[in-house]
Amino acid sequence: DAGVTQSPTHLIKTRGQQVTLRCSPKSGHDTVSWYQQALGQGPQFIFQYYEEEERQRGNFPDRFSGHQFPNYSSELNVNALLLGDSALYLCASSPIPGWGTDTQYFGPGTRLTVL
Amino acid sequence: GIQVEQSPPDLILQEGANSTLRCNFSDSVNNLQWFHQNPWGQLINLFYIPSGTKQNGRLSATTVATERYSLLYISSSQTTDSGVYFCAVPTGGADGLTFGKGTHLIIQP
């Protein structure tokens, strides 16, 4: 039973570029959430997707957008990259959303470096 | 929004020692999770514990929801327990999690 998978593992971009990160949820899960973790900090919630729609969003600008596909996999897109976007990006999956009552399982993350 | 505070921020112990990590949260919650982040960044689920006490081997956790805190106990520490321990609670009643800043635990041989 595969857990949450993410690609790529590492990525280096320059300021102003755009990036796409990918996530496949744990088998049996159809809700995907994205988090940003800066060095030395706890993860911060970006947004959550369920039934191919953004269900909940954290305090992140519109440069951060996402998509969920019919097979429940998801993409995170970041436009006009800033140096401050350098971070570990984590994807988490959970079963049908239960208003905060479900366990979330995390993938290994994508480490993004913006130069 | 809800605030999550963890203490201590750093903890250095010798192998075999016991430790207690604390998580305080500012509002009522219906979910609380403890995670261990290994040196490669992987967040590993330890406990889903909205209330009460759970045990898993050398680790146990207690959440007192009415007093808005949770404790993670690690007994007979091993070097492999090193890493950062996070607690997280739902953000505003939905599923996105709010994390504390973590406790960085170092177990020395």
Side-chain angles (χ1 to χ4, degrees), chain A residues 35 37 42-43 45 48 55-56 97 99-108, chain B residues 30-31 33 35 37 42-43 45 48 86 90-91 93-97 99-101:
Chain A
Y35 294 81
Q37 186 177 20
F45 175 67
Q48 182 181 83
R55 178 170 175 262
Q56 185 189 10
W99 295 100
T101 59
D102 290 317
T103 301
Q104 294 198 13
Y105 295 88
F106 284 78
Chain B
N30 57 5
N31 177 3
Q33 291 186 242
F35 297 90
Q37 189 166 42
Q42 176 75 59
L43 276 169
N45 293 68
Y48 168 88
F86 290 102
T91 302
D95 286 339
L97 294 174
F99 283 76
K101 292 187 176 181

PDB file of all heavy atoms in Angstrom, chain A residues 35 37 42-43 45 48 55-56 97 99-108, chain B residues 30-31 33 35 37 42-43 45 48 86 90-91 93-97 99-101:
ATOM      1  N   TYR A  35       1.317  22.132   2.308  1.00  0.00           N
ATOM      2  CA  TYR A  35       1.926  22.925   3.370  1.00  0.00           C
ATOM      3  C   TYR A  35       3.291  23.426   2.913  1.00  0.00           C
ATOM      4  O   TYR A  35       3.990  22.745   2.147  1.00  0.00           O
ATOM      5  CB  TYR A  35       2.108  22.077   4.637  1.00  0.00           C
ATOM      6  CG  TYR A  35       0.831  21.629   5.291  1.00  0.00           C
ATOM      7  CD1 TYR A  35       0.123  20.522   4.808  1.00  0.00           C
ATOM      8  CD2 TYR A  35       0.308  22.308   6.386  1.00  0.00           C
ATOM      9  CE1 TYR A  35      -1.060  20.115   5.399  1.00  0.00           C
ATOM     10  CE2 TYR A  35      -0.878  21.897   6.996  1.00  0.00           C
ATOM     11  CZ  TYR A  35      -1.548  20.805   6.495  1.00  0.00           C
ATOM     12  OH  TYR A  35      -2.721  20.402   7.094  1.00  0.00           O
ATOM     13  N   GLN A  37       6.962  24.617   4.544  1.00  0.00           N
ATOM     14  CA  GLN A  37       7.761  24.619   5.757  1.00  0.00           C
ATOM     15  C   GLN A  37       9.082  25.338   5.509  1.00  0.00           C
ATOM     16  O   GLN A  37       9.967  24.803   4.837  1.00  0.00           O
ATOM     17  CB  GLN A  37       8.016  23.206   6.261  1.00  0.00           C
ATOM     18  CG  GLN A  37       8.732  23.170   7.606  1.00  0.00           C
ATOM     19  CD  GLN A  37       8.927  21.773   8.153  1.00  0.00           C
ATOM     20  OE1 GLN A  37       8.877  20.788   7.434  1.00  0.00           O
ATOM     21  NE2 GLN A  37       9.153  21.682   9.460  1.00  0.00           N
ATOM     22  N   GLY A  42       7.551  25.393  11.785  1.00  0.00           N
ATOM     23  CA  GLY A  42       6.571  24.344  11.552  1.00  0.00           C
ATOM     24  C   GLY A  42       5.905  24.535  10.202  1.00  0.00           C
ATOM     25  O   GLY A  42       5.914  25.635   9.642  1.00  0.00           O
ATOM     26  N   PRO A  43       5.320  23.482   9.639  1.00  0.00           N
ATOM     27  CA  PRO A  43       4.611  23.617   8.368  1.00  0.00           C
ATOM     28  C   PRO A  43       3.454  24.613   8.478  1.00  0.00           C
ATOM     29  O   PRO A  43       2.802  24.705   9.518  1.00  0.00           O
ATOM     30  CB  PRO A  43       4.092  22.197   8.103  1.00  0.00           C
ATOM     31  CG  PRO A  43       5.001  21.305   8.875  1.00  0.00           C
ATOM     32  CD  PRO A  43       5.355  22.089  10.114  1.00  0.00           C
ATOM     33  N   PHE A  45      -0.148  25.806   6.538  1.00  0.00           N
ATOM     34  CA  PHE A  45      -1.183  25.314   5.639  1.00  0.00           C
ATOM     35  C   PHE A  45      -1.371  26.275   4.466  1.00  0.00           C
ATOM     36  O   PHE A  45      -1.590  27.477   4.664  1.00  0.00           O
ATOM     37  CB  PHE A  45      -2.476  25.162   6.421  1.00  0.00           C
ATOM     38  CG  PHE A  45      -3.676  24.783   5.596  1.00  0.00           C
ATOM     39  CD1 PHE A  45      -3.758  23.544   4.994  1.00  0.00           C
ATOM     40  CD2 PHE A  45      -4.719  25.672   5.434  1.00  0.00           C
ATOM     41  CE1 PHE A  45      -4.869  23.190   4.240  1.00  0.00           C
ATOM     42  CE2 PHE A  45      -5.835  25.331   4.694  1.00  0.00           C
ATOM     43  CZ  PHE A  45      -5.909  24.092   4.094  1.00  0.00           C
ATOM     44  N   GLN A  48      -6.358  23.163   0.670  1.00  0.00           N
ATOM     45  CA  GLN A  48      -6.817  21.779   0.630  1.00  0.00           C
ATOM     46  C   GLN A  48      -7.765  21.599  -0.556  1.00  0.00           C
ATOM     47  O   GLN A  48      -8.596  22.471  -0.838  1.00  0.00           O
ATOM     48  CB  GLN A  48      -7.540  21.406   1.921  1.00  0.00           C
ATOM     49  CG  GLN A  48      -8.006  19.960   1.969  1.00  0.00           C
ATOM     50  CD  GLN A  48      -8.734  19.646   3.259  1.00  0.00           C
ATOM     51  OE1 GLN A  48      -9.916  19.902   3.418  1.00  0.00           O
ATOM     52  NE2 GLN A  48      -7.999  19.072   4.204  1.00  0.00           N
ATOM     53  N   ARG A  55     -11.076  23.598  -1.131  1.00  0.00           N
ATOM     54  CA  ARG A  55     -12.061  23.543  -0.037  1.00  0.00           C
ATOM     55  C   ARG A  55     -11.727  24.528   1.087  1.00  0.00           C
ATOM     56  O   ARG A  55     -12.618  25.027   1.759  1.00  0.00           O
ATOM     57  CB  ARG A  55     -12.110  22.125   0.496  1.00  0.00           C
ATOM     58  CG  ARG A  55     -13.042  21.904   1.662  1.00  0.00           C
ATOM     59  CD  ARG A  55     -13.203  20.433   1.965  1.00  0.00           C
ATOM     60  NE  ARG A  55     -14.011  20.234   3.166  1.00  0.00           N
ATOM     61  CZ  ARG A  55     -13.516  20.014   4.371  1.00  0.00           C
ATOM     62  NH1 ARG A  55     -12.208  19.956   4.546  1.00  0.00           N
ATOM     63  NH2 ARG A  55     -14.318  19.832   5.416  1.00  0.00           N
ATOM     64  N   GLN A  56     -10.463  24.750   1.288  1.00  0.00           N
ATOM     65  CA  GLN A  56     -10.023  25.610   2.381  1.00  0.00           C
ATOM     66  C   GLN A  56      -8.679  26.194   1.990  1.00  0.00           C
ATOM     67  O   GLN A  56      -7.879  25.534   1.300  1.00  0.00           O
ATOM     68  CB  GLN A  56      -9.884  24.796   3.677  1.00  0.00           C
ATOM     69  CG  GLN A  56      -9.542  25.626   4.913  1.00  0.00           C
ATOM     70  CD  GLN A  56      -9.209  24.761   6.111  1.00  0.00           C
ATOM     71  OE1 GLN A  56      -9.050  23.553   6.000  1.00  0.00           O
ATOM     72  NE2 GLN A  56      -9.067  25.370   7.273  1.00  0.00           N
ATOM     73  N   PRO A  97     -13.201  14.529   3.890  1.00  0.00           N
ATOM     74  CA  PRO A  97     -13.009  15.517   4.957  1.00  0.00           C
ATOM     75  C   PRO A  97     -14.073  15.409   6.029  1.00  0.00           C
ATOM     76  O   PRO A  97     -15.257  15.240   5.749  1.00  0.00           O
ATOM     77  CB  PRO A  97     -13.086  16.861   4.221  1.00  0.00           C
ATOM     78  CG  PRO A  97     -13.723  16.560   2.924  1.00  0.00           C
ATOM     79  CD  PRO A  97     -13.366  15.159   2.584  1.00  0.00           C
ATOM     80  N   TRP A  99     -14.195  17.639   8.806  1.00  0.00           N
ATOM     81  CA  TRP A  99     -14.181  18.865   9.606  1.00  0.00           C
ATOM     82  C   TRP A  99     -13.239  18.733  10.793  1.00  0.00           C
ATOM     83  O   TRP A  99     -13.605  18.912  11.936  1.00  0.00           O
ATOM     84  CB  TRP A  99     -15.585  19.259  10.047  1.00  0.00           C
ATOM     85  CG  TRP A  99     -16.413  19.605   8.873  1.00  0.00           C
ATOM     86  CD1 TRP A  99     -17.326  18.833   8.253  1.00  0.00           C
ATOM     87  CD2 TRP A  99     -16.336  20.792   8.092  1.00  0.00           C
ATOM     88  NE1 TRP A  99     -17.845  19.473   7.160  1.00  0.00           N
ATOM     89  CE2 TRP A  99     -17.249  20.676   7.018  1.00  0.00           C
ATOM     90  CE3 TRP A  99     -15.557  21.966   8.185  1.00  0.00           C
ATOM     91  CZ2 TRP A  99     -17.420  21.674   6.060  1.00  0.00           C
ATOM     92  CZ3 TRP A  99     -15.741  22.962   7.230  1.00  0.00           C
ATOM     93  CH2 TRP A  99     -16.663  22.801   6.189  1.00  0.00           C
ATOM     94  N   GLY A 100     -12.025  18.384  10.454  1.00  0.00           N
ATOM     95  CA  GLY A 100     -10.975  18.385  11.459  1.00  0.00           C
ATOM     96  C   GLY A 100     -10.873  17.112  12.253  1.00  0.00           C
ATOM     97  O   GLY A 100     -10.138  17.071  13.241  1.00  0.00           O
ATOM     98  N   THR A 101     -11.570  16.049  11.846  1.00  0.00           N
ATOM     99  CA  THR A 101     -11.542  14.839  12.651  1.00  0.00           C
ATOM    100  C   THR A 101     -10.706  13.730  12.030  1.00  0.00           C
ATOM    101  O   THR A 101     -10.678  12.619  12.537  1.00  0.00           O
ATOM    102  CB  THR A 101     -12.971  14.313  12.875  1.00  0.00           C
ATOM    103  OG1 THR A 101     -13.553  14.051  11.590  1.00  0.00           O
ATOM    104  CG2 THR A 101     -13.801  15.323  13.615  1.00  0.00           C
ATOM    105  N   ASP A 102     -10.054  14.009  10.913  1.00  0.00           N
ATOM    106  CA  ASP A 102      -9.307  12.960  10.233  1.00  0.00           C
ATOM    107  C   ASP A 102      -7.810  13.101  10.409  1.00  0.00           C
ATOM    108  O   ASP A 102      -7.277  14.201  10.462  1.00  0.00           O
ATOM    109  CB  ASP A 102      -9.615  12.978   8.734  1.00  0.00           C
ATOM    110  CG  ASP A 102     -11.026  12.523   8.458  1.00  0.00           C
ATOM    111  OD1 ASP A 102     -11.453  11.546   9.076  1.00  0.00           O
ATOM    112  OD2 ASP A 102     -11.685  13.158   7.625  1.00  0.00           O
ATOM    113  N   THR A 103      -7.133  11.957  10.461  1.00  0.00           N
ATOM    114  CA  THR A 103      -5.677  11.942  10.498  1.00  0.00           C
ATOM    115  C   THR A 103      -5.132  12.281   9.125  1.00  0.00           C
ATOM    116  O   THR A 103      -5.615  11.766   8.123  1.00  0.00           O
ATOM    117  CB  THR A 103      -5.192  10.546  10.915  1.00  0.00           C
ATOM    118  OG1 THR A 103      -5.726  10.222  12.193  1.00  0.00           O
ATOM    119  CG2 THR A 103      -3.673  10.507  10.980  1.00  0.00           C
ATOM    120  N   GLN A 104      -4.130  13.153   9.087  1.00  0.00           N
ATOM    121  CA  GLN A 104      -3.477  13.484   7.829  1.00  0.00           C
ATOM    122  C   GLN A 104      -2.130  12.771   7.750  1.00  0.00           C
ATOM    123  O   GLN A 104      -1.395  12.707   8.738  1.00  0.00           O
ATOM    124  CB  GLN A 104      -3.282  14.995   7.708  1.00  0.00           C
ATOM    125  CG  GLN A 104      -4.600  15.745   7.609  1.00  0.00           C
ATOM    126  CD  GLN A 104      -4.456  17.145   7.066  1.00  0.00           C
ATOM    127  OE1 GLN A 104      -3.432  17.532   6.524  1.00  0.00           O
ATOM    128  NE2 GLN A 104      -5.513  17.930   7.215  1.00  0.00           N
ATOM    129  N   TYR A 105      -1.822  12.250   6.560  1.00  0.00           N
ATOM    130  CA  TYR A 105      -0.581  11.532   6.319  1.00  0.00           C
ATOM    131  C   TYR A 105       0.236  12.322   5.311  1.00  0.00           C
ATOM    132  O   TYR A 105      -0.276  12.716   4.264  1.00  0.00           O
ATOM    133  CB  TYR A 105      -0.869  10.124   5.792  1.00  0.00           C
ATOM    134  CG  TYR A 105      -1.567   9.255   6.799  1.00  0.00           C
ATOM    135  CD1 TYR A 105      -2.947   9.233   6.897  1.00  0.00           C
ATOM    136  CD2 TYR A 105      -0.836   8.455   7.670  1.00  0.00           C
ATOM    137  CE1 TYR A 105      -3.588   8.448   7.837  1.00  0.00           C
ATOM    138  CE2 TYR A 105      -1.470   7.659   8.612  1.00  0.00           C
ATOM    139  CZ  TYR A 105      -2.843   7.666   8.690  1.00  0.00           C
ATOM    140  OH  TYR A 105      -3.473   6.890   9.629  1.00  0.00           O
ATOM    141  N   PHE A 106       1.513  12.509   5.630  1.00  0.00           N
ATOM    142  CA  PHE A 106       2.368  13.390   4.846  1.00  0.00           C
ATOM    143  C   PHE A 106       3.315  12.636   3.924  1.00  0.00           C
ATOM    144  O   PHE A 106       3.791  11.540   4.249  1.00  0.00           O
ATOM    145  CB  PHE A 106       3.190  14.294   5.775  1.00  0.00           C
ATOM    146  CG  PHE A 106       2.399  15.418   6.365  1.00  0.00           C
ATOM    147  CD1 PHE A 106       1.546  15.193   7.424  1.00  0.00           C
ATOM    148  CD2 PHE A 106       2.489  16.699   5.830  1.00  0.00           C
ATOM    149  CE1 PHE A 106       0.787  16.230   7.964  1.00  0.00           C
ATOM    150  CE2 PHE A 106       1.740  17.742   6.360  1.00  0.00           C
ATOM    151  CZ  PHE A 106       0.894  17.510   7.429  1.00  0.00           C
ATOM    152  N   GLY A 107       3.583  13.268   2.778  1.00  0.00           N
ATOM    153  CA  GLY A 107       4.587  12.766   1.864  1.00  0.00           C
ATOM    154  C   GLY A 107       5.971  13.230   2.276  1.00  0.00           C
ATOM    155  O   GLY A 107       6.123  13.974   3.253  1.00  0.00           O
ATOM    156  N   PRO A 108       7.003  12.814   1.523  1.00  0.00           N
ATOM    157  CA  PRO A 108       8.386  13.136   1.884  1.00  0.00           C
ATOM    158  C   PRO A 108       8.777  14.575   1.582  1.00  0.00           C
ATOM    159  O   PRO A 108       9.804  15.044   2.053  1.00  0.00           O
ATOM    160  CB  PRO A 108       9.204  12.163   1.045  1.00  0.00           C
ATOM    161  CG  PRO A 108       8.334  11.876  -0.125  1.00  0.00           C
ATOM    162  CD  PRO A 108       6.918  11.908   0.377  1.00  0.00           C
TER     163      PRO A 108
ATOM    164  N   ASN B  30     -11.127  19.548  18.018  1.00  0.00           N
ATOM    165  CA  ASN B  30     -11.680  18.195  17.976  1.00  0.00           C
ATOM    166  C   ASN B  30     -10.674  17.198  17.413  1.00  0.00           C
ATOM    167  O   ASN B  30     -11.026  16.086  17.033  1.00  0.00           O
ATOM    168  CB  ASN B  30     -12.979  18.170  17.163  1.00  0.00           C
ATOM    169  CG  ASN B  30     -12.776  18.703  15.754  1.00  0.00           C
ATOM    170  OD1 ASN B  30     -11.662  19.001  15.344  1.00  0.00           O
ATOM    171  ND2 ASN B  30     -13.853  18.807  15.003  1.00  0.00           N
ATOM    172  N   ASN B  31      -9.418  17.632  17.339  1.00  0.00           N
ATOM    173  CA  ASN B  31      -8.385  16.787  16.755  1.00  0.00           C
ATOM    174  C   ASN B  31      -7.033  17.327  17.200  1.00  0.00           C
ATOM    175  O   ASN B  31      -6.850  18.542  17.268  1.00  0.00           O
ATOM    176  CB  ASN B  31      -8.505  16.838  15.220  1.00  0.00           C
ATOM    177  CG  ASN B  31      -7.429  16.056  14.497  1.00  0.00           C
ATOM    178  OD1 ASN B  31      -6.585  15.408  15.105  1.00  0.00           O
ATOM    179  ND2 ASN B  31      -7.442  16.120  13.187  1.00  0.00           N
ATOM    180  N   GLN B  33      -2.821  16.104  16.585  1.00  0.00           N
ATOM    181  CA  GLN B  33      -1.880  15.099  16.105  1.00  0.00           C
ATOM    182  C   GLN B  33      -0.472  15.444  16.562  1.00  0.00           C
ATOM    183  O   GLN B  33      -0.100  16.628  16.600  1.00  0.00           O
ATOM    184  CB  GLN B  33      -1.908  15.009  14.570  1.00  0.00           C
ATOM    185  CG  GLN B  33      -3.197  14.434  14.017  1.00  0.00           C
ATOM    186  CD  GLN B  33      -3.137  14.221  12.509  1.00  0.00           C
ATOM    187  OE1 GLN B  33      -3.873  14.802  11.738  1.00  0.00           O
ATOM    188  NE2 GLN B  33      -2.237  13.345  12.080  1.00  0.00           N
ATOM    189  N   PHE B  35       3.545  14.592  15.550  1.00  0.00           N
ATOM    190  CA  PHE B  35       4.387  14.104  14.467  1.00  0.00           C
ATOM    191  C   PHE B  35       5.851  14.140  14.896  1.00  0.00           C
ATOM    192  O   PHE B  35       6.262  14.979  15.694  1.00  0.00           O
ATOM    193  CB  PHE B  35       4.256  14.980  13.216  1.00  0.00           C
ATOM    194  CG  PHE B  35       2.894  15.023  12.595  1.00  0.00           C
ATOM    195  CD1 PHE B  35       1.974  15.986  12.984  1.00  0.00           C
ATOM    196  CD2 PHE B  35       2.526  14.124  11.607  1.00  0.00           C
ATOM    197  CE1 PHE B  35       0.719  16.050  12.402  1.00  0.00           C
ATOM    198  CE2 PHE B  35       1.277  14.180  11.018  1.00  0.00           C
ATOM    199  CZ  PHE B  35       0.373  15.145  11.416  1.00  0.00           C
ATOM    200  N   GLN B  37       9.440  14.610  12.877  1.00  0.00           N
ATOM    201  CA  GLN B  37      10.060  14.899  11.591  1.00  0.00           C
ATOM    202  C   GLN B  37      11.504  14.429  11.624  1.00  0.00           C
ATOM    203  O   GLN B  37      12.306  14.901  12.455  1.00  0.00           O
ATOM    204  CB  GLN B  37       9.999  16.385  11.252  1.00  0.00           C
ATOM    205  CG  GLN B  37      10.438  16.680   9.819  1.00  0.00           C
ATOM    206  CD  GLN B  37      10.072  18.078   9.369  1.00  0.00           C
ATOM    207  OE1 GLN B  37      10.207  19.050  10.102  1.00  0.00           O
ATOM    208  NE2 GLN B  37       9.586  18.199   8.135  1.00  0.00           N
ATOM    209  N   GLN B  42      10.785  14.000   6.513  1.00  0.00           N
ATOM    210  CA  GLN B  42       9.555  13.222   6.520  1.00  0.00           C
ATOM    211  C   GLN B  42       8.823  13.376   7.848  1.00  0.00           C
ATOM    212  O   GLN B  42       9.410  13.182   8.914  1.00  0.00           O
ATOM    213  CB  GLN B  42       9.870  11.745   6.283  1.00  0.00           C
ATOM    214  CG  GLN B  42       8.662  10.832   6.374  1.00  0.00           C
ATOM    215  CD  GLN B  42       7.750  10.907   5.164  1.00  0.00           C
ATOM    216  OE1 GLN B  42       8.180  10.643   4.046  1.00  0.00           O
ATOM    217  NE2 GLN B  42       6.490  11.274   5.379  1.00  0.00           N
ATOM    218  N   LEU B  43       7.550  13.745   7.758  1.00  0.00           N
ATOM    219  CA  LEU B  43       6.701  13.837   8.946  1.00  0.00           C
ATOM    220  C   LEU B  43       6.053  12.480   9.182  1.00  0.00           C
ATOM    221  O   LEU B  43       5.317  11.982   8.332  1.00  0.00           O
ATOM    222  CB  LEU B  43       5.624  14.901   8.755  1.00  0.00           C
ATOM    223  CG  LEU B  43       5.995  16.336   9.055  1.00  0.00           C
ATOM    224  CD1 LEU B  43       4.925  17.277   8.557  1.00  0.00           C
ATOM    225  CD2 LEU B  43       6.231  16.548  10.536  1.00  0.00           C
ATOM    226  N   ASN B  45       3.568  10.162  11.473  1.00  0.00           N
ATOM    227  CA  ASN B  45       2.466  10.225  12.434  1.00  0.00           C
ATOM    228  C   ASN B  45       2.810   9.437  13.701  1.00  0.00           C
ATOM    229  O   ASN B  45       3.228   8.288  13.625  1.00  0.00           O
ATOM    230  CB  ASN B  45       1.205   9.619  11.831  1.00  0.00           C
ATOM    231  CG  ASN B  45       0.660  10.424  10.684  1.00  0.00           C
ATOM    232  OD1 ASN B  45       1.290  10.488   9.631  1.00  0.00           O
ATOM    233  ND2 ASN B  45      -0.478  11.037  10.871  1.00  0.00           N
ATOM    234  N   TYR B  48      -2.848  10.323  16.933  1.00  0.00           N
ATOM    235  CA  TYR B  48      -4.049  11.125  16.706  1.00  0.00           C
ATOM    236  C   TYR B  48      -4.786  11.072  18.025  1.00  0.00           C
ATOM    237  O   TYR B  48      -5.274  10.005  18.419  1.00  0.00           O
ATOM    238  CB  TYR B  48      -4.880  10.527  15.570  1.00  0.00           C
ATOM    239  CG  TYR B  48      -6.264  11.100  15.435  1.00  0.00           C
ATOM    240  CD1 TYR B  48      -6.493  12.230  14.668  1.00  0.00           C
ATOM    241  CD2 TYR B  48      -7.357  10.513  16.063  1.00  0.00           C
ATOM    242  CE1 TYR B  48      -7.766  12.753  14.529  1.00  0.00           C
ATOM    243  CE2 TYR B  48      -8.622  11.030  15.938  1.00  0.00           C
ATOM    244  CZ  TYR B  48      -8.819  12.144  15.169  1.00  0.00           C
ATOM    245  OH  TYR B  48     -10.085  12.669  15.029  1.00  0.00           O
ATOM    246  N   PHE B  86       6.449  17.778  16.408  1.00  0.00           N
ATOM    247  CA  PHE B  86       5.424  18.793  16.211  1.00  0.00           C
ATOM    248  C   PHE B  86       4.083  18.303  16.726  1.00  0.00           C
ATOM    249  O   PHE B  86       3.745  17.122  16.584  1.00  0.00           O
ATOM    250  CB  PHE B  86       5.238  19.115  14.719  1.00  0.00           C
ATOM    251  CG  PHE B  86       6.381  19.842  14.086  1.00  0.00           C
ATOM    252  CD1 PHE B  86       7.292  19.177  13.281  1.00  0.00           C
ATOM    253  CD2 PHE B  86       6.536  21.209  14.266  1.00  0.00           C
ATOM    254  CE1 PHE B  86       8.334  19.847  12.681  1.00  0.00           C
ATOM    255  CE2 PHE B  86       7.585  21.889  13.668  1.00  0.00           C
ATOM    256  CZ  PHE B  86       8.487  21.204  12.878  1.00  0.00           C
ATOM    257  N   PRO B  90      -6.524  21.331  14.088  1.00  0.00           N
ATOM    258  CA  PRO B  90      -7.251  21.868  12.928  1.00  0.00           C
ATOM    259  C   PRO B  90      -7.330  23.390  12.985  1.00  0.00           C
ATOM    260  O   PRO B  90      -7.432  23.984  14.058  1.00  0.00           O
ATOM    261  CB  PRO B  90      -8.638  21.245  13.048  1.00  0.00           C
ATOM    262  CG  PRO B  90      -8.464  20.064  13.910  1.00  0.00           C
ATOM    263  CD  PRO B  90      -7.370  20.410  14.857  1.00  0.00           C
ATOM    264  N   THR B  91      -7.332  23.981  11.797  1.00  0.00           N
ATOM    265  CA  THR B  91      -7.417  25.436  11.669  1.00  0.00           C
ATOM    266  C   THR B  91      -8.875  25.804  11.480  1.00  0.00           C
ATOM    267  O   THR B  91      -9.463  25.499  10.453  1.00  0.00           O
ATOM    268  CB  THR B  91      -6.590  25.905  10.461  1.00  0.00           C
ATOM    269  OG1 THR B  91      -5.248  25.474  10.634  1.00  0.00           O
ATOM    270  CG2 THR B  91      -6.653  27.405  10.318  1.00  0.00           C
ATOM    271  N   GLY B  93     -11.740  24.787  12.572  1.00  0.00           N
ATOM    272  CA  GLY B  93     -12.811  23.808  12.473  1.00  0.00           C
ATOM    273  C   GLY B  93     -12.803  22.987  11.206  1.00  0.00           C
ATOM    274  O   GLY B  93     -13.582  22.049  11.072  1.00  0.00           O
ATOM    275  N   ALA B  94     -11.945  23.312  10.252  1.00  0.00           N
ATOM    276  CA  ALA B  94     -11.854  22.511   9.032  1.00  0.00           C
ATOM    277  C   ALA B  94     -10.590  21.653   9.104  1.00  0.00           C
ATOM    278  O   ALA B  94     -10.054  21.447  10.174  1.00  0.00           O
ATOM    279  CB  ALA B  94     -11.864  23.413   7.811  1.00  0.00           C
ATOM    280  N   ASP B  95     -10.121  21.175   7.990  1.00  0.00           N
ATOM    281  CA  ASP B  95      -9.105  20.126   8.023  1.00  0.00           C
ATOM    282  C   ASP B  95      -7.663  20.600   7.953  1.00  0.00           C
ATOM    283  O   ASP B  95      -6.757  19.858   8.293  1.00  0.00           O
ATOM    284  CB  ASP B  95      -9.348  19.143   6.880  1.00  0.00           C
ATOM    285  CG  ASP B  95     -10.538  18.264   7.160  1.00  0.00           C
ATOM    286  OD1 ASP B  95     -10.910  18.126   8.333  1.00  0.00           O
ATOM    287  OD2 ASP B  95     -11.099  17.717   6.199  1.00  0.00           O
ATOM    288  N   GLY B  96      -7.426  21.841   7.459  1.00  0.00           N
ATOM    289  CA  GLY B  96      -6.058  22.314   7.411  1.00  0.00           C
ATOM    290  C   GLY B  96      -5.506  22.380   8.823  1.00  0.00           C
ATOM    291  O   GLY B  96      -6.194  22.795   9.763  1.00  0.00           O
ATOM    292  N   LEU B  97      -4.256  21.958   9.013  1.00  0.00           N
ATOM    293  CA  LEU B  97      -3.666  21.910  10.342  1.00  0.00           C
ATOM    294  C   LEU B  97      -2.817  23.138  10.636  1.00  0.00           C
ATOM    295  O   LEU B  97      -2.114  23.644   9.762  1.00  0.00           O
ATOM    296  CB  LEU B  97      -2.786  20.661  10.477  1.00  0.00           C
ATOM    297  CG  LEU B  97      -3.500  19.309  10.419  1.00  0.00           C
ATOM    298  CD1 LEU B  97      -2.486  18.173  10.426  1.00  0.00           C
ATOM    299  CD2 LEU B  97      -4.486  19.155  11.549  1.00  0.00           C
ATOM    300  N   PHE B  99       0.324  24.111  12.954  1.00  0.00           N
ATOM    301  CA  PHE B  99       1.419  23.470  13.669  1.00  0.00           C
ATOM    302  C   PHE B  99       2.057  24.424  14.668  1.00  0.00           C
ATOM    303  O   PHE B  99       2.091  25.639  14.459  1.00  0.00           O
ATOM    304  CB  PHE B  99       2.513  23.047  12.681  1.00  0.00           C
ATOM    305  CG  PHE B  99       2.195  21.803  11.894  1.00  0.00           C
ATOM    306  CD1 PHE B  99       1.297  21.842  10.832  1.00  0.00           C
ATOM    307  CD2 PHE B  99       2.810  20.599  12.191  1.00  0.00           C
ATOM    308  CE1 PHE B  99       1.012  20.702  10.106  1.00  0.00           C
ATOM    309  CE2 PHE B  99       2.540  19.451  11.464  1.00  0.00           C
ATOM    310  CZ  PHE B  99       1.639  19.506  10.420  1.00  0.00           C
ATOM    311  N   GLY B 100       2.600  23.838  15.737  1.00  0.00           N
ATOM    312  CA  GLY B 100       3.494  24.590  16.592  1.00  0.00           C
ATOM    313  C   GLY B 100       4.867  24.710  15.933  1.00  0.00           C
ATOM    314  O   GLY B 100       5.085  24.194  14.830  1.00  0.00           O
ATOM    315  N   LYS B 101       5.800  25.355  16.610  1.00  0.00           N
ATOM    316  CA  LYS B 101       7.137  25.535  16.056  1.00  0.00           C
ATOM    317  C   LYS B 101       8.025  24.330  16.316  1.00  0.00           C
ATOM    318  O   LYS B 101       9.152  24.280  15.826  1.00  0.00           O
ATOM    319  CB  LYS B 101       7.786  26.795  16.619  1.00  0.00           C
ATOM    320  CG  LYS B 101       7.116  28.070  16.137  1.00  0.00           C
ATOM    321  CD  LYS B 101       7.885  29.304  16.573  1.00  0.00           C
ATOM    322  CE  LYS B 101       7.243  30.557  15.987  1.00  0.00           C
ATOM    323  NZ  LYS B 101       7.971  31.794  16.369  1.00  0.00           N
TER     324      LYS B 101
END
